Amino acid sequence: MSAAGINLSETPRKALAPLTYLMLAALCLFAFIPGISTLPPTDRDESRFVQATKQMVETGDYVDIRFQDVPRYKKPAGIYWLQSAAVLVSGQGSEAPIWVYRLISVLAATFSVLALTVIGSRMFGPSAGLIAGLGLMGILMLGFEARIAKTDATLLATALLAQGSLAAIYLGHKAGRPQGRANWLFWFAQGLALLIKGPVIPFLSLLTIAALVIFDRDRGWLRKLRPFTGLLLTLLVAAPWLVLITIKTGSEFWQESVGKDLLSKVGSGQESHGFPPGYYFLTYSVFMWPFALVALEGGLKALRRFREDPRLLFCLAWYLPYWIAIEAIPTKLPHYALPAYPAMILLMAWTLTDASAATVELARWQQWLRKVCAFGMFGISIGLAAIAFGITPYFLGYVSWWGLLAALLVLIAARYGIGAPDDMDPVKRIAFAAAAAAAAFGVLTTKVLPPLKPVWLSPEIAQRFEKLKPCPTSRLISAGYGEPSLVFLAGTQTLLTDGAGAAAALTADPACGIAVVGAAESQHFLAAVPGGADALKEIGSIEGMNYSKGEPRALTFYTLAR
């Protein structure tokens, strides 16, 4: 491929002012911090991550990863180390609240926004960079992942570090510009990514490189990657922990992480998350809301122009092969697509700021696809607004004015994200939409969702346990309710069991034992207690919904009668 259609050496290179980045970072904190202290621990992934980190701090063992006594070797230790560092810095130790663990995701999401701003500025100019950063800040997927203490916001940060370095090498070669230490940064990012979530980002980068090699005959840039010394750097970053965990567990870590987790996701739908191809195509508009439509338009136009513009080729090589790959893998979760979304946001920035993009005519099938996306975005926006307004009346029976405000913010974000007056400056348009979306997420996670006590059963159980426990040293015995968030909130020694197990544990500790039993296990529990119901004292009950399963739950607290 030649760059005959565009002279990359003449593309805008003016950097944004440092003050702009400071303001953008402050805006990210406004976007991502609200809700991290008010939203209870979510089930199930987040609570498993934070509980494993909590146990690292409790035991001082930062190599072995466990949820209670069960090894948790599906993911490497990187995210647990980062969360442990936040906990230790907080000075609260294992008693640190959930928001301390979530700070890592907030900071990673902020870094990701700033990184995409830099990448967009270098590829398409300062205005495009600002649009790209604001666009990433405002999408629904990152608005959620930035508030949750698990791997995906941090993984996105490593993806942008790796892909931004790869873009600098490839496009710098096309423009005849030296790229300094971009190759070392690329391989360093791969090592970090391996420590966070294994081979996901190396796989993304490999697919990007393969697509560039296929569609661009100029392959001289590959030498600038310095793969042999680069791979050594990657190993230097990732290998020490891999060696330590292998020494500690033998082959168990590799069997669990590669044999059971990775290969089972590739071979079959894991943990009831199997869906046929097309899942990410259908959910794109939801998780890229409110910018799915304009980003899609940028992607469709790029398909018509990529042979004459290496920048567009790079963005498509970033997105399309990875999208096809995750569509082909049976196990599907929404966050799997997150590392590829920045490529579409860059194409959104290009189509909004490059005058030549306005001259690109879409093919008939592209026009129909755009119309389908526009219809979907309209429906999704109405649906999100309806949920924001209606969730409180549904669960609590009264109208929340905060819910109404969130719904109005959703509609404002949709108005500017889907379309705006033609004469409106595109940076202002995206900023309005992103700020409204961020404000809507903030209102939802601080004022609308936290008061829904029937939904948040684990906090209710843990609070009731603290009030009802017979002894300061009592541990909670739970039968019929086994969500990981309960272990994080009620203590590592919490026993998750069935009715018979709860009866045995309660009778083994007659003075201090306390059990909470779900209706489904109640009969088994009563039958297993010596003396039956007459030997028990019912001291409280809770009703609500287990949202992770979508089931109503009724739970009763018991101690032994004295």
Side-chain angles (χ1 to χ4, degrees):
M1 171 185 169
S2 74
I6 182 169
N7 186 349
L8 290 183
S9 63
E10 296 179 359
T11 56
R13 297 284 293 171
K14 184 179 178 182
L16 290 165
L19 182 60
T20 303
Y21 285 103
L22 287 174
M23 293 176 64
L24 189 56
L27 192 58
C28 286
L29 297 180
F30 156 78
F32 302 140
I33 283 181
I36 66 170
S37 63
T38 53
L39 196 67
T42 59
D43 289 304
R44 298 188 172 101
D45 280 352
E46 180 186 33
S47 292
R48 287 170 178 156
F49 276 108
V50 297
Q51 177 58 30
T53 300
K54 181 179 181 179
Q55 289 179 218
M56 278 188 170
V57 176
E58 287 175 339
T59 64
D61 186 341
Y62 294 94
V63 176
D64 201 12
I65 308 167
R66 291 182 176 271
F67 179 88
Q68 294 190 304
D69 294 327
V70 180
R72 183 168 166 78
Y73 297 146
K74 292 183 178 182
K75 302 292 184 291
I79 193 65
Y80 304 102
W81 287 349
L82 291 171
Q83 290 178 358
S84 295
V87 170
L88 293 172
V89 169
S90 75
Q92 301 180 70
S94 60
E95 299 301 315
I98 186 66
W99 67 265
V100 174
Y101 297 80
R102 289 171 171 169
L103 282 176
I104 299 302
S105 292
V106 170
L107 295 175
T110 301
F111 174 88
S112 298
V113 168
L114 297 177
L116 191 62
T117 304
V118 172
I119 296 168
S121 297
R122 292 181 175 180
M123 289 178 68
F124 300 111
S127 294
L130 198 51
I131 286 174
L134 290 166
L136 182 61
M137 185 195 76
I139 65 170
L140 187 149
M141 175 63 78
L142 191 60
F144 176 76
E145 293 296 342
R147 291 174 165 83
I148 301 299
K150 55 191 189 75
T151 55
D152 296 288
T154 307
L155 188 72
L156 177 63
T158 65
L160 285 162
L161 198 59
Q163 295 295 95
S165 302
L166 188 62
I169 296 166
Y170 173 67
L171 297 175
H173 170 78
K174 305 299 287 186
R177 288 194 291 254
Q179 292 306 312
R181 297 181 176 84
N183 55 338
W184 299 115
L185 194 57
F186 173 78
W187 294 109
F188 179 71
Q190 301 298 337
L192 293 179
L194 284 171
L195 284 176
I196 297 298
K197 206 171 183 178
V200 176
I201 301 310
F203 179 62
L204 169 67
S205 296
L206 183 62
L207 289 175
T208 305
I209 292 169
L212 292 173
V213 167
I214 291 170
F215 288 99
D216 190 345
R217 295 180 180 178
D218 177 8
R219 292 158 191 170
W221 65 278
L222 290 171
R223 292 191 297 272
K224 298 179 180 180
L225 278 172
R226 298 186 181 180
F228 297 109
T229 52
L231 283 170
L232 180 60
L233 175 59
T234 297
L235 289 174
L236 286 173
V237 174
W241 179 76
L242 296 174
V243 171
L244 288 172
I245 193 66
T246 302
I247 292 172
K248 193 171 187 72
T249 69
S251 62
E252 188 177 355
F253 166 74
W254 298 99
Q255 290 173 351
E256 183 72 23
S257 63
V258 178
K260 293 183 180 179
D261 188 58
L262 178 62
L263 295 182
S264 64
K265 286 178 178 177
V266 173
S268 61
Q270 190 184 52
E271 298 175 358
S272 304
H273 297 306
F275 292 96
Y279 172 85
Y280 296 105
F281 175 81
L282 293 174
T283 58
Y284 163 83
S285 294
V286 176
F287 298 112
M288 275 283 285
W289 182 91
F291 301 120
L293 180 61
V294 66
L296 176 67
E297 186 173 344
L300 294 175
K301 289 183 176 182
L303 285 171
R304 312 279 290 179
R305 291 281 302 274
F306 74 91
R307 294 189 179 278
E308 58 193 76
D309 191 335
R311 302 171 302 173
L312 305 183
L313 173 62
F314 183 87
C315 292
L316 293 174
W318 180 346
Y319 185 80
L320 289 175
Y322 181 78
W323 168 60
I324 293 169
I326 59 175
E327 288 283 22
I329 294 171
T331 300
K332 292 180 173 64
L333 288 167
H335 57 258
Y336 286 4
L338 181 57
Y341 284 157
M344 293 299 289
I345 293 172
L346 286 171
L347 292 175
M348 173 182 80
W350 166 73
T351 199
L352 289 175
T353 58
D354 193 317
S356 66
T359 65
V360 179
E361 295 185 5
L362 299 180
R364 185 182 294 268
W365 70 269
Q366 292 178 316
Q367 294 173 7
W368 276 106
L369 187 59
R370 186 187 182 283
K371 289 178 181 178
V372 169
C373 184
F375 180 78
M377 283 292 292
F378 177 79
I380 289 164
S381 300
I382 297 298
L384 289 174
I387 291 170
F389 177 70
I391 193 169
T392 300
Y394 179 80
F395 282 105
L396 301 181
Y398 62 84
V399 173
S400 166
W401 296 110
W402 289 110
L404 177 60
L405 175 60
L408 291 174
L409 289 167
V410 164
L411 295 177
I412 292 171
R415 171 69 180 94
Y416 288 97
I418 297 173
D422 292 337
D423 59 348
M424 187 174 190
D425 178 76
V427 175
K428 290 182 180 179
R429 168 190 168 182
I430 299 303
F432 266 64
F441 301 150
V443 172
L444 282 169
T445 54
T446 56
K447 297 296 184 180
V448 178
L449 295 178
L452 304 180
K453 290 189 176 183
V455 174
W456 307 112
L457 281 174
S458 290
E460 283 292 294
I461 295 170
Q463 289 169 16
R464 194 75 63 88
F465 166 63
E466 285 298 316
K467 293 178 181 178
L468 298 175
K469 64 183 183 181
C471 309
T473 58
S474 295
R475 73 163 174 169
L476 180 63
I477 304 161
S478 177
Y481 184 85
E483 297 301 334
S485 58
L486 183 59
V487 178
F488 177 75
L489 293 169
T492 299
Q493 299 306 313
T494 299
L495 177 62
L496 306 179
T497 184
D498 57 13
L506 189 61
T507 54
D509 187 13
C512 295
I514 178 171
V516 61
V517 182
E521 291 292 328
S522 179
Q523 204 168 19
H524 301 291
F525 172 72
L526 294 174
V529 173
D534 292 337
L536 295 168
K537 181 180 180 182
E538 185 177 322
I539 57 174
S541 62
I542 294 174
E543 291 186 359
M545 174 179 284
N546 182 4
Y547 67 88
S548 65
K549 290 187 175 181
E551 299 174 350
R553 286 290 171 88
L555 301 133
T556 304
F557 284 88
Y558 295 98
T559 59
L560 289 176
R562 294 179 180 83

